[in-house]
Amino acid sequence: MSKVTRRSFVKNLGLGVGSAAILPTLVSFENSPLLGDIPYTGKKLNIALCGLGRYANILATGLQETEYCSLAGIVTGTPEKAKTWKAKYQIPEENIYNYENFDEIIKNKNIDLVYVVLPNGMHKEFTIRAAKARKHVIVEKPMANSAAECKQMIDACNKAGVQLAVGYRLHYEPHHLEIQRLGREKVFGPVRHIEATLGYNIKGMPADDWHFNKALSGGGVLMNLGVYCVQINRYVLGEEPVSVTAQFSPKTMPDLFTEVEENISWQLNFPSGAVGTSTAASNCRADRFYAAAEQGFFELSPAMGYGPFKGRTSEEEFKFPVINQQATQMDGISKVILDGNKLPSHISGEEGLKDMQIIDAIYKAAATGKKISLG
Ligand code: NDP
């Protein structure tokens, strides 16, 4: 494994927010005797996790490894979780909220940021309430149920003068920074074709889970997994799609998927002529990215899940460190806020909005069978 530690990696992220520029810097950083593993001892950003489900547990574990932020508070509708989390993470009673008294967080000077980890259909409400309480916000992906909701969230955060980030963990991950560089710098010539596929087998998930409920999820697997495929196309090419075609595939679990799609495939057309084809599936495991360029290729598999990622170019294998994606993401965001800087655009609310505009168009294309223009 490389000598690059997560600490040095995050410090490096703070130096240059343009992600395409990061990896060359990372290499020189590794060899620098001056910038070693000096622990950070300054003020930390105090984070409250809102919605203590599966992913919040992963974030809480990540927060045990962060240097620039800490788990300071929780917002939960389940009193038993409040008790367990309070004991497990030594959370002061005054930093524990439920969904009813959440707005009182405005009076709490010991919470700087609310991380919204609720079902998608609740993202808009809690982002806006957090902004009104003058807290910075990280909201999980997908940013909301629609592009229209994303706009309202961005407006609320701008009005309140707080920063809004989307929980795009892959923007802090070395394999992903490298494929961005390879694509945008045309290291193998222009990328002509991208395949990005992500799937899980949802069989066994209780039928009353919010993922099957349109109001709470906003949609099916496109919202939950497909958003990563949309993202990877955009950040590898550094372009925005101009049109989209899409198809729903037949349901293999019709009893579960009464309100939202089970599987969906789509094609994005980019101004350079590049085409991105993707499938998001709920009935099989898949996690793959492949970019074909004029003079070579690069690929990742596993590519977009929790990793560890594996990949190569047409010339060599990738050898990047395995990092805690959530810790690195939260440290990266916290460092920018603590330094008083604006969050980089690639993880901002505007980025989440762009993805949702494309997702809205993919749904429209699949429903109508027509090519939908974007922009
Ligand atoms: P879970 O169902 O595991 O957790 C959601 C939590 O929200 C619940 O445990 C509950 O917490 C709270 N909640 C409040 N109201 C409701 C309701 N009506 N129905 C269900 N839950 C409710 O979901 P996940 O943690 O898997 O997903 C949460 C968000 O995180 C989603 O937006 C998802 O897309 C995103 N996510 C992101 C991942 C990533 O890699 N970036 C990975 C997985 C998910 P409480 O009991 O505390 O009130």
Side-chain angles (χ1 to χ4, degrees), residues 49-59 75-79 81-82 85 99 115-123 126 139-143 167-169 205 208-211 213 216 223-225 227-228 304-306 325-326 329:
L49 291 177
C50 177
L52 306 181
R54 289 163 282 217
Y55 196 55
N57 274 283
I58 294 173
L59 291 170
V75 186
T76 176
T78 310
K81 288 186 194 170
W85 280 61
Y99 304 123
Y115 196 143
V116 179
V117 210
L118 292 162
N120 311 336
M122 299 172 76
H123 289 183
F126 281 83
V139 61
E140 255 317 314
K141 50 53 57 180
M143 185 171 161
Y168 287 139
R169 57 186 164 74
M205 190 177 261
D208 62 355
D209 190 279
W210 64 266
H211 285 88
N213 174 317
L216 283 172
M223 296 288 281
N224 284 310
L225 302 186
V227 64
Y228 287 107
M304 292 166 274
Y306 296 144
Q325 294 185 34
Q326 291 77 20
Q329 169 214 338

Side-chain angles (χ1 to χ4, degrees), residues 175 178-179 182 299-300 311-313 316-320:
H175 295 79
E178 177 64 352
I179 59 171
L182 294 171
E299 64 181 343
L300 294 176
R312 62 176 181 146
T313 70
E316 61 185 350
E317 301 279 324
F318 288 145
K319 291 192 184 79
F320 294 115

Side-chain angles (χ1 to χ4, degrees), residues 188-208:
F188 295 98
V191 173
R192 297 303 188 197
H193 185 73
I194 289 179
E195 285 172 25
T197 293
L198 196 55
Y200 52 18
N201 191 342
I202 213 163
K203 204 176 262 178
M205 190 177 261
D208 62 355

